[in-house]
Amino acid sequence: MTIESEAQYSFGTKAVHSGAPLDPTTGAVIEPISLSTTFGQSEPAKPLGIYEYSRSANPNRDNFEIAVAALENAKYAIALSSGSATTALVIQSLPVGSHIISGGDVYGGTYRYFTKVGDTHGVQAEFVGNLVEDLSGALKENTKLVWLETPSNPTLQVTDIAKVAEILKEHEAKTGNKVLLVVDNTFLSPYVSNPLSHGADVVVHSVTKYINGHSDVVMGVLATNNADLHEKFRFLQNAIGSIPSPFDSWLAHRGLKTLHLRVGQASASAQKIAEYLVQHPAVLKVNYPGLKSHKNHDVVLRQHRNGLGGGMISFRIQGGAKGAALFTSATKLFTLAESLGGIESLIEVPAVMTHGGIPKEEREANGVYDDLVRVSVGIEDTEDLLKDIEQALEKVSA
Ligand SMILES: *Cc1c(COP(=O)(O)O)cnc(C)c1O
């Protein structure tokens, strides 16, 4: 299928069929893995097919990109070797002397790139607590990009993308300065939210998480509807060379075909688990976008498919750091590990694991207390997951 012909289809159909043509030579239903680094030419500069050299383009990477573009309602997608390489490529596309504004609690590696690498390329990053409230005051003459991550990690606060896009449109109308809005959609996946449809210019993903979904590939992708941006990013993808391998592209494409089923199931289970946690006496506070009590639930209803909360939950547990350690060591189905978005349920304590590098005061100002537990809900049976949480909470209460 071509991207154009796909507009009529719904998400699950696009997930299965986008970028997945029958192999033209054998009729294979599943594409072969194209490992060749180079492709033959009939005369100098006349390739036999459409490929020349695998860094520039590769059939498996192309097909994966077509599929992601279809799922993000985008014209173009570009795959990179990791989510972090995707962030790096976007920032490297900016001119020296650029100012960027980022939401405060972005992914740790993104924060590290903005503060320790971006500045060596002459890109200055500024962080604001709340993009909707603080953005207007932070915009400068040389602001070129706004980086937005929603929901935030690990407290799952939701930012109104359309609102931020509107502020930037007003800024452009007033000053003539176009500021790109980039949304990191890793935590929701394209199944739950499509940021481009809410006014973002670029959407980025760590494919490592939900899109691949099987905890066996590190990869990234970005998508956009802007032809000029696409051309710039495509040039950099080849020039920088941080590309995914054909095998990883193939695996990630295979994972993507079941994205709707996996994220639908994880989200349904997470909703039940969050509701269970809310009423448990050993739980102090639950952060979950699917709860009606969530601070930005109105935005969730506008921005997420069917108001889905996604597969990520965080909550504060009784007993401080000890309680969190006891609980996360007592679960049997939730493996104590970093990362998220896979078929298997994971659990972690951000204060000493994913967010251990952030000073305590700064951490706690963002709600990341020693007793905060983060859960990535997998696709195991809901009842089994609930029972596992129940028995682990009993150990904490005892
Ligand atoms: C994991 C992650 C990244 C970085 O992706 P890698 O594939 O690990 O390089 C970026 N943003 C978010 C929200 C993430 O969870």
Side-chain angles (χ1 to χ4, degrees):
M1 298 204 301
T2 66
I3 297 176
E4 283 74 25
S5 72
E6 280 166 21
Q8 59 176 302
Y9 295 113
S10 295
F11 194 96
T13 308
K14 289 195 273 189
V16 172
H17 289 290
S18 305
L22 296 183
D23 182 66
T25 50
T26 66
V29 171
I30 297 302
E31 61 178 319
I33 301 170
S34 187
L35 294 174
S36 188
T37 55
T38 190
F39 299 83
Q41 312 203 0
S42 57
E43 313 167 25
K46 288 262 180 309
L48 289 167
I50 59 172
Y51 297 102
E52 290 174 40
Y53 183 62
S54 202
R55 169 163 38 73
S56 314
N58 165 279
N60 300 109
R61 199 177 83 203
D62 276 4
N63 285 335
F64 174 75
E65 289 173 344
I66 288 168
V68 170
L71 299 190
E72 277 292 11
N73 300 334
K75 288 204 183 96
Y76 318 100
I78 290 186
L80 287 310
S81 56
S82 68
S84 304
T86 311
T87 305
L89 181 134
V90 170
I91 301 307
Q92 286 180 51
S93 74
L94 300 174
V96 172
S98 296
H99 173 250
I100 67 173
I101 300 169
S102 168
D105 37 10
V106 286
Y107 177 72
T110 303
Y111 181 83
R112 182 174 54 211
Y113 192 88
F114 287 173
T115 53
K116 300 214 161 105
V117 187
D119 56 349
T120 64
H121 304 298
V123 173
Q124 225 58 49
E126 184 176 337
F127 298 86
V128 298
N130 182 320
L131 278 173
V132 171
E133 286 163 20
D134 308 332
L135 181 56
S136 301
L139 285 163
K140 293 187 193 174
E141 179 98 36
N142 60 339
T143 306
K144 297 280 188 234
L145 182 147
V146 167
W147 191 277
L148 188 170
E149 198 174 305
T150 181
S152 67
N153 176 20
T155 54
L156 303 165
Q157 290 171 59
V158 173
T159 302
D160 191 336
I161 297 169
K163 220 8 163 315
V164 174
E166 193 185 306
I167 296 169
L168 295 180
K169 285 257 147 53
E170 279 166 18
H171 173 75
E172 186 179 1
K174 239 190 289 173
T175 64
N177 295 335
K178 165 79 185 154
V179 177
L180 292 179
L181 177 56
V182 182
V183 174
D184 184 335
N185 195 28
T186 299
F187 264 45
L188 293 179
S189 90
Y191 181 63
V192 177
S193 184
N194 293 126
L196 299 181
S197 305
H198 298 282
D201 298 291
V202 181
V203 54
V204 302
H205 284 278
S206 169
V207 170
T208 318
K209 318 295 166 53
Y210 285 104
I211 291 182
N212 177 61
H214 293 72
S215 305
D216 50 14
V217 172
V218 173
M219 206 167 130
V221 74
L222 65 82
T224 182
N225 278 313
N226 181 316
D228 294 338
L229 273 182
H230 167 248
E231 205 174 306
K232 198 190 257 186
F233 293 148
R234 184 66 76 192
F235 171 81
L236 287 173
Q237 178 192 40
N238 181 49
I240 298 170
S242 51
I243 47 140
S245 73
F247 185 50
D248 282 354
S249 302
W250 186 90
L251 273 177
H253 193 178
R254 168 160 119 159
L256 171 149
K257 291 172 186 174
T258 55
L259 181 66
H260 51 303
L261 302 178
R262 289 185 286 102
V263 176
Q265 173 67 22
S267 199
S269 288
Q271 182 72 33
K272 292 225 167 87
I273 292 170
E275 285 167 6
Y276 172 78
L277 290 170
V278 163
Q279 52 78 47
H280 199 285
V283 174
L284 310 179
K285 179 185 195 312
V286 181
N287 305 308
Y288 184 63
L291 292 174
K292 285 198 184 70
S293 58
H294 189 277
K295 190 174 151 222
N296 311 112
H297 195 64
D298 57 323
V299 183
V300 171
L301 293 177
R302 282 201 299 277
Q303 206 158 271
H304 296 193
R305 175 191 302 272
N306 304 329
L308 289 174
M312 299 297 294
I313 307 170
S314 67
F315 62 97
R316 296 186 66 187
I317 194 165
Q318 149 193 322
K322 256 201 188 137
L326 194 61
F327 177 78
T328 52
S329 311
T331 52
K332 292 178 185 137
L333 292 176
F334 292 82
T335 301
L336 181 56
E338 298 191 1
S339 198
L340 60 118
I343 51 171
E344 69 292 312
S345 292
L346 301 178
I347 198 158
E348 65 125 356
V349 182
V352 289
M353 295 172 66
T354 48
H355 294 63
I358 306 170
K360 188 177 166 90
E361 259 171 45
E362 201 178 310
R363 208 170 17 84
E364 296 196 339
N366 282 319
V368 188
Y369 297 95
D370 292 347
D371 58 9
L372 189 77
V373 173
R374 188 187 81 176
V375 178
S376 170
V377 178
I379 63 166
E380 301 93 337
D381 283 291
T382 313
E383 283 307 310
D384 290 336
L385 293 177
L386 276 168
K387 272 187 208 142
D388 193 30
I389 299 250
E390 198 177 341
Q391 65 82 22
L393 279 174
E394 263 164 37
K395 292 203 173 111
V396 176
S397 304

